[in-house]
Amino acid sequence: MMFTNLMVNNFGPYKDRHEFDLRPETDDVNSRPIILFGGLNGSGKTKLLEAIQLALYGPSILGPRTAVAKYHRLLRRWTYRSELTGETSESATIVLDFDHNFIGRTEHYTVIRSWKLLKTKVSE
């Protein structure tokens, strides 16, 4: 599996839409097959990995037989909230594109996970 693109919208520290091209650079001479993320502590590096996990596994990210309420609390925590102003978003989206190669055949997939925060529940 090769991740090609990640888009997060109002997820973790990422307010509004942010897109990350995850395809490694290649040309006829050089190959750079690794993507590196750098930044200060608390800048959102781990949150990008959590976005990929959440996109792929949904409620299973917390383990088998996890209560829906616990999963909804996680989605609420991971929806954008400004530390400075207290501004919060009412919804969030993760879009993950990847290629999967099986027996020489490559298929392209897009996983979209989005949710909206309602007063007493979360609508995914």
Side-chain angles (χ1 to χ4, degrees):
M1 183 183 315
M2 176 73 74
F3 299 126
T4 57
N5 196 61
L6 175 66
M7 188 281 296
V8 293
N9 186 42
N10 295 327
F11 180 76
Y14 299 98
K15 180 183 179 188
D16 298 325
R17 181 186 174 108
H18 295 269
E19 203 158 338
F20 303 90
D21 182 0
L22 302 177
R23 289 176 294 223
E25 290 183 16
T26 58
D27 58 30
D28 293 338
V29 178
N30 299 313
S31 176
R32 296 181 178 106
I34 298 174
I35 301 295
L36 298 175
F37 288 96
L40 298 173
N41 290 344
S43 63
K45 300 177 300 290
T46 301
K47 201 53 73 185
L48 293 176
L49 297 175
E50 291 170 339
I52 291 171
Q53 283 183 302
L54 183 59
L56 292 174
Y57 298 106
S60 299
I61 193 173
L62 296 172
R65 293 187 240 136
T66 299
V68 172
K70 187 174 181 181
Y71 175 62
H72 286 180
R73 281 192 301 274
L74 176 78
L75 294 180
R76 283 187 183 280
R77 262 195 341 266
W78 283 0
T79 304
Y80 173 79
R81 180 180 356 210
S82 171
E83 298 276 329
L84 298 174
T85 66
E87 174 191 5
T88 60
S89 296
E90 295 178 358
S91 63
T93 304
I94 301 168
V95 179
L96 177 65
D97 292 311
F98 63 92
D99 294 331
H100 180 261
N101 189 312
F102 182 72
I103 311 176
R105 181 177 174 189
T106 301
E107 301 273 343
H108 182 78
Y109 295 90
T110 300
V111 177
I112 301 170
R113 190 166 299 276
S114 63
W115 61 93
K116 184 177 248 183
L117 304 180
L118 306 173
K119 288 182 183 181
T120 58
K121 63 180 185 172
V122 176
S123 175
E124 187 176 19

